[in-house]
Amino acid sequence: MDQAIQTEKKLLRQQFRADRRSLNVSEWQAKSGSICQAISQFPKFQASKQVLAFFSTNQEPDLSSLWQAFPDKTWGFPRTVENRRMQWHGMKIDNLDPSRTLGRYGIYEPLSCQPLIDLALVDLILVPAVACDRQGIRLGNGGGYYDIFLTEPSLNSDSYKLGIIFDLTLVDYLPHDPWDIYLDGICTEFGIQAVASAQSLSAFGMMDAELRPTNAKMTATSAQD
């Protein structure tokens, strides 16, 4: 392990978390809403039946309006277990509160009694991050949970890994280790872009310019926040 890289990552986490905290509540809500709008218009999301998401903490983008708008999709959320691993559970979007609890890091998690997600059927993973760079490198919180999960043998190898951040934490370059997993795309409040290391989005029939969100409202199939 390169100690210099670890030190640099630690300092960058502090910087980017401070940047995120600089958003006031109205800005945070508006930018989160734009991210949800962009995802809702992404063909990969629209075609996905099973999506892995996360509960926002420390002013991460709030995706709750997204899953509330699409309750017919199968949504999975992580629960931390031993050895820096996560188990993914399906949850009823229209009745979340009785099905979740605060986990060891003060983040909402599904109760262990909730049904497990079949990772082989996952189409799309919405990946939280402290920051991302344009090559698809993700700076996480430092626990290694997603680094381990994204190499899980049972995970569908074709699932699309989409980093979810605010634009103020998207940079040209981040220090990284050999085990860091590249994302396929990054979503900010300004839209979704493929990254330099990922395969072209031409498979989805779209160019980057077409991935910008429009002003059209997200079609909701249930009540929104």
Side-chain angles (χ1 to χ4, degrees):
M1 180 181 293
D2 189 322
Q3 192 57 47
I5 289 179
Q6 304 314 309
T7 299
E8 187 175 3
K9 283 185 173 183
K10 182 177 180 180
L11 293 173
L12 286 171
R13 285 188 188 99
Q14 294 173 354
Q15 172 192 323
F16 289 128
R17 284 169 178 155
D19 290 342
R20 206 163 58 190
R21 288 194 300 270
S22 71
L23 298 174
N24 62 42
V25 173
S26 295
E27 290 172 325
W28 174 69
Q29 291 175 334
K31 291 177 185 292
S32 293
S34 295
I35 287 173
C36 292
Q37 178 72 27
I39 297 171
S40 76
Q41 296 172 1
F42 185 34
K44 184 64 175 175
F45 172 78
Q46 293 173 347
S48 294
K49 295 181 179 179
Q50 190 155 284
V51 182
L52 301 186
F54 59 90
F55 293 115
S56 170
T57 186
N58 294 324
Q59 217 150 314
E60 292 171 336
D62 178 11
L63 302 183
S64 59
S65 65
L66 181 68
W67 62 67
Q68 289 171 3
F70 296 92
D72 292 337
K73 293 186 183 294
T74 298
W75 291 93
F77 296 89
R79 182 173 64 88
T80 55
V81 293
E82 295 180 351
N83 299 319
R84 295 187 298 167
R85 294 188 177 275
M86 296 187 292
Q87 290 186 339
W88 292 81
H89 299 261
M91 301 183 70
K92 292 184 180 296
I93 297 305
D94 57 356
N95 195 26
L96 279 178
D97 284 339
S99 305
R100 64 182 184 176
T101 186
L102 286 176
R104 67 181 71 185
Y105 298 108
I107 303 171
Y108 277 114
E109 296 184 346
L111 296 175
S112 60
C113 60
Q114 297 302 307
L116 290 173
I117 288 287
D118 185 349
L119 297 180
L121 301 178
V122 170
D123 300 302
L124 175 65
I125 309 170
L126 306 180
V127 185
V130 176
C132 294
D133 72 17
R134 300 182 193 281
Q135 289 70 50
I137 288 294
R138 166 186 172 271
L139 180 67
N141 286 306
Y145 284 89
Y146 275 88
D147 293 322
I148 293 172
F149 166 66
L150 293 174
T151 60
E152 174 65 46
S154 63
L155 179 63
N156 176 13
S157 60
D158 293 326
S159 57
Y160 191 93
K161 301 178 291 296
L162 184 64
I164 309 297
I165 57 170
F166 295 123
D167 187 70
L168 52 74
T169 63
L170 176 61
V171 297
D172 289 334
Y173 174 82
L174 286 172
H176 56 277
D177 294 291
W179 56 81
D180 287 329
I181 304 297
Y182 283 85
L183 300 168
D184 298 305
I186 297 166
C187 182
T188 74
E189 65 270 26
F190 295 117
I192 295 174
Q193 58 182 281
V195 297
S197 65
Q199 294 181 346
S200 169
L201 286 183
S202 60
F204 308 131
M206 301 187 71
M207 300 296 290
D208 280 355
E210 295 178 271
L211 295 173
R212 299 285 175 176
T214 68
N215 291 326
K217 290 187 177 181
M218 183 165 45
T219 301
T221 53
S222 68
Q224 301 201 18
D225 277 350

